[in-house]
Amino acid sequence: MVPYAHVPGRICDAGWLSYGRAVADNGPVLEMTREEFEELVAEALDRIPPELTRLMDNVAVFVEDEPPAEDPELLGLYEGTPLTDRGEWYAGVLPDRITIYRNPTLRMCESREDVVAETEVTVVHEIAHHFGIDDARLHALGYG
């Protein structure tokens, strides 16, 4: 299982490259209901080209309010076995898990438009990990 993290503007303690930008002080945190944020995640998933979504296999996407306490700035996380690492042994396993975290995204963004854009980048970033694309390559492509 390979965990990949999306944390704004720093390298994670585990050595994963990350991306995004941190807002030093954006005043009050944007308010957005869980349902509104889940809809943004669903819309970002809908924008993934169908030829790619057809290739996705055994992966589930979740929205959580907060990331693990040890990484409070985490925006997204992929946990699983990328498609490129699966072999004949891969059967009967639980789905890979992509988690998108709502509150850190709202804390770092200054506007609703920023939340929409950051959510889309986070979703694409985590799906790319499902396809075996590492953080270095995502960075080179502008998603890291």
Side-chain angles (χ1 to χ4, degrees), residues 17-19 125 133-144:
L17 294 175
S18 60
Y19 63 103
H125 184 103
I133 301 171
D134 65 16
D135 285 309
R137 180 69 178 136
L138 284 168
H139 183 75
L141 294 171
Y143 289 95

Side-chain angles (χ1 to χ4, degrees), residues 14-15 22 35 43 62 71 93 111-112 121 138:
E35 292 77 22
E43 290 170 4
F62 298 91
D71 209 348
V93 299
S111 68
R112 180 175 174 80
V121 167
L138 284 168

Side-chain angles (χ1 to χ4, degrees), residues 36-101:
E36 289 174 303
F37 190 78
E38 287 174 351
E39 183 63 29
L40 291 181
V41 171
E43 290 170 4
L45 287 166
D46 287 344
R47 285 191 288 277
I48 303 294
E51 53 272 13
L52 291 180
T53 57
R54 281 193 292 272
L55 298 173
M56 293 174 66
D57 181 46
N58 200 30
V59 61
V61 178
F62 298 91
V63 170
E64 298 288 341
D65 287 335
E66 291 293 344
E70 63 272 7
D71 209 348
E73 295 179 3
L74 191 67
L75 301 181
L77 180 65
Y78 169 76
E79 300 171 282
T81 304
L83 295 174
T84 54
D85 292 345
R86 296 179 185 180
E88 294 175 12
W89 59 268
Y90 187 85
V93 299
L94 292 173
D96 291 2
R97 181 180 178 102
I98 291 173
T99 308
I100 309 300
Y101 298 105

Side-chain angles (χ1 to χ4, degrees), residues 82 98 123-134 138:
I98 291 173
V123 167
V124 169
H125 184 103
E126 302 310 331
I127 288 173
H129 290 318
H130 176 68
F131 283 99
I133 301 171
D134 65 16
L138 284 168

